[in-house]
Amino acid sequence: MVRILLIGAATMTLCLLLQSLLLAQAIRYYARRHEVLRARTSWWATMMVINSVMLLLLLGTIAQISIWAVVFMLVGEFGTFADAVYHSGVNFATLGYGDIVMTERNRLLGPLEAVNGVLMIGVSTAALLATFQHAVKTALAARGQHVK
Protein backbone atom coordinates (compact mmCIF):
# COMPACT_ATOMS: atom_id res chain seq x y z
CA MET A 1 0.00 0.00 0.00
CA VAL A 2 2.85 2.40 0.78
CA ARG A 3 4.29 1.71 -2.68
CA ILE A 4 0.99 2.64 -4.33
CA LEU A 5 0.65 5.79 -2.20
CA LEU A 6 4.15 6.87 -3.23
CA ILE A 7 3.43 6.19 -6.89
CA GLY A 8 0.14 8.10 -6.61
CA ALA A 9 1.75 11.02 -4.78
CA ALA A 10 4.52 11.25 -7.37
CA THR A 11 2.00 11.17 -10.22
CA MET A 12 -0.15 13.82 -8.54
CA THR A 13 2.93 16.00 -8.09
CA LEU A 14 3.85 15.60 -11.76
CA CYS A 15 0.30 16.53 -12.78
CA LEU A 16 0.33 19.54 -10.44
CA LEU A 17 3.57 20.76 -12.00
CA LEU A 18 2.16 20.27 -15.50
CA GLN A 19 -1.03 22.11 -14.56
CA SER A 20 1.00 24.97 -13.08
CA LEU A 21 3.13 25.27 -16.23
CA LEU A 22 0.11 25.24 -18.52
CA LEU A 23 -1.74 27.70 -16.34
CA ALA A 24 1.27 30.03 -16.44
CA GLN A 25 1.34 29.67 -20.24
CA ALA A 26 -2.38 30.42 -20.44
CA ILE A 27 -1.94 33.53 -18.28
CA ARG A 28 1.04 34.65 -20.39
CA TYR A 29 -0.94 34.09 -23.59
CA TYR A 30 -3.91 36.01 -22.22
CA ALA A 31 -1.70 38.89 -21.05
CA ARG A 32 -0.20 39.20 -24.55
CA ARG A 33 -3.62 39.06 -26.18
CA HIS A 34 -5.12 41.54 -23.69
CA GLU A 35 -3.96 44.50 -25.79
CA VAL A 36 -5.65 42.99 -28.83
CA LEU A 37 -8.90 42.89 -26.89
CA ARG A 38 -8.55 46.59 -26.08
CA ALA A 39 -7.83 47.49 -29.69
CA ARG A 40 -10.40 45.21 -31.33
CA THR A 41 -13.81 45.47 -29.81
CA SER A 42 -15.32 42.53 -31.66
CA TRP A 43 -16.84 39.67 -29.76
CA TRP A 44 -15.13 37.36 -32.24
CA ALA A 45 -11.69 38.49 -31.03
CA THR A 46 -12.78 38.07 -27.43
CA MET A 47 -14.11 34.57 -28.04
CA MET A 48 -10.95 33.55 -29.92
CA VAL A 49 -8.80 34.54 -26.96
CA ILE A 50 -11.06 32.76 -24.47
CA ASN A 51 -11.24 29.64 -26.65
CA SER A 52 -7.46 29.58 -27.00
CA VAL A 53 -7.06 29.63 -23.22
CA MET A 54 -9.73 26.92 -22.95
CA LEU A 55 -7.94 24.76 -25.52
CA LEU A 56 -4.63 25.06 -23.68
CA LEU A 57 -6.28 24.01 -20.41
CA LEU A 58 -8.06 21.13 -22.15
CA LEU A 59 -4.79 19.89 -23.61
CA GLY A 60 -3.38 19.95 -20.07
CA THR A 61 -6.24 17.79 -18.85
CA ILE A 62 -5.71 15.30 -21.68
CA ALA A 63 -1.98 15.21 -20.90
CA GLN A 64 -2.68 14.49 -17.24
CA ILE A 65 -5.10 11.69 -18.11
CA SER A 66 -2.38 10.26 -20.35
CA ILE A 67 0.22 10.49 -17.56
CA TRP A 68 -2.03 8.48 -15.26
CA ALA A 69 -2.62 5.96 -18.06
CA VAL A 70 1.13 5.51 -18.44
CA VAL A 71 1.40 4.92 -14.69
CA PHE A 72 -1.35 2.29 -14.92
CA MET A 73 0.59 0.58 -17.69
CA LEU A 74 3.87 0.74 -15.74
CA VAL A 75 2.34 -0.98 -12.71
CA GLY A 76 0.99 -3.68 -15.04
CA GLU A 77 -2.65 -2.83 -14.55
CA PHE A 78 -3.85 -2.81 -18.17
CA GLY A 79 -2.90 -4.74 -21.27
CA THR A 80 -3.58 -1.94 -23.73
CA PHE A 81 -2.94 1.77 -23.60
CA ALA A 82 -6.48 2.40 -24.87
CA ASP A 83 -7.95 0.65 -21.80
CA ALA A 84 -5.57 2.55 -19.53
CA VAL A 85 -6.54 5.92 -21.07
CA TYR A 86 -10.25 5.10 -20.88
CA HIS A 87 -10.02 4.05 -17.23
CA SER A 88 -7.87 7.07 -16.46
CA GLY A 89 -10.40 9.44 -18.05
CA VAL A 90 -13.22 7.87 -16.05
CA ASN A 91 -11.20 8.27 -12.84
CA PHE A 92 -9.96 11.79 -13.60
CA ALA A 93 -13.47 13.02 -14.34
CA THR A 94 -14.81 11.11 -11.30
CA LEU A 95 -17.42 9.32 -13.41
CA GLY A 96 -16.77 5.97 -11.75
CA TYR A 97 -18.47 3.74 -14.34
CA GLY A 98 -16.93 0.61 -12.86
CA ASP A 99 -16.95 -1.26 -16.16
CA ILE A 100 -13.17 -1.66 -15.94
CA VAL A 101 -11.86 -2.27 -12.44
CA MET A 102 -8.27 -2.29 -11.28
CA THR A 103 -6.80 -5.14 -9.32
CA GLU A 104 -6.85 -4.99 -5.55
CA ARG A 105 -3.12 -4.27 -5.29
CA ASN A 106 -3.41 -1.11 -7.44
CA ARG A 107 -6.97 0.04 -6.91
CA LEU A 108 -5.96 2.84 -4.53
CA LEU A 109 -4.57 4.65 -7.58
CA GLY A 110 -8.16 5.21 -8.78
CA PRO A 111 -9.29 7.45 -5.91
CA LEU A 112 -5.94 9.24 -5.92
CA GLU A 113 -6.42 10.09 -9.59
CA ALA A 114 -10.01 11.18 -8.89
CA VAL A 115 -8.82 13.60 -6.19
CA ASN A 116 -6.17 14.85 -8.61
CA GLY A 117 -8.79 15.30 -11.34
CA VAL A 118 -11.21 17.21 -9.12
CA LEU A 119 -8.46 19.60 -8.07
CA MET A 120 -7.04 20.14 -11.55
CA ILE A 121 -10.41 20.52 -13.26
CA GLY A 122 -11.34 23.01 -10.53
CA VAL A 123 -8.18 25.02 -11.17
CA SER A 124 -8.87 25.02 -14.91
CA THR A 125 -12.47 26.11 -14.34
CA ALA A 126 -11.40 28.95 -12.06
CA ALA A 127 -8.78 30.14 -14.56
CA LEU A 128 -11.25 29.98 -17.42
CA LEU A 129 -13.91 31.89 -15.48
CA ALA A 130 -11.41 34.60 -14.51
CA THR A 131 -10.27 34.86 -18.13
CA PHE A 132 -13.84 35.05 -19.41
CA GLN A 133 -14.87 37.73 -16.88
CA HIS A 134 -11.82 39.87 -17.56
CA ALA A 135 -12.11 39.51 -21.34
CA VAL A 136 -15.77 40.52 -21.32
CA LYS A 137 -15.07 43.52 -19.07
CA THR A 138 -12.19 44.57 -21.33
CA ALA A 139 -14.30 44.22 -24.46
CA LEU A 140 -17.17 46.20 -22.94
CA ALA A 141 -14.82 48.93 -21.71
CA ALA A 142 -13.23 49.15 -25.19
CA ARG A 143 -16.70 49.68 -26.63
CA GLY A 144 -17.34 52.43 -24.11
CA GLN A 145 -20.06 50.50 -22.33
CA HIS A 146 -20.48 50.74 -18.58
CA VAL A 147 -18.76 47.96 -16.63
CA LYS A 148 -19.55 47.19 -13.01
Side-chain angles (χ1 to χ4, degrees), residues 102-135:
M102 289 195 286
T103 59
E104 189 174 322
R105 70 182 163 95
N106 293 322
R107 69 179 173 195
L108 186 56
L109 289 173
L112 291 174
E113 183 183 12
V115 168
N116 186 205
V118 166
L119 292 172
M120 297 304 106
I121 290 171
V123 167
S124 292
T125 302
L128 191 56
L129 180 61
T131 299
F132 183 76
Q133 288 176 328
H134 190 266

Side-chain angles (χ1 to χ4, degrees), residues 43-124:
W43 284 106
W44 176 251
T46 303
M47 289 301 110
M48 288 303 297
V49 170
I50 291 169
N51 282 316
S52 296
V53 170
M54 189 183 323
L55 179 62
L56 187 58
L57 295 172
L58 177 62
L59 291 174
T61 298
I62 292 169
Q64 291 175 71
I65 289 170
S66 298
I67 288 169
W68 278 98
V70 168
V71 168
F72 293 157
M73 294 293 293
L74 290 175
V75 299
E77 194 56 44
F78 295 103
T80 67
F81 188 64
D83 284 345
V85 168
Y86 170 76
H87 186 73
S88 179
V90 169
N91 282 342
F92 201 84
T94 69
L95 291 173
Y97 287 149
D99 55 341
I100 299 178
V101 181
M102 289 195 286
T103 59
E104 189 174 322
R105 70 182 163 95
N106 293 322
R107 69 179 173 195
L108 186 56
L109 289 173
L112 291 174
E113 183 183 12
V115 168
N116 186 205
V118 166
L119 292 172
M120 297 304 106
I121 290 171
V123 167
S124 292

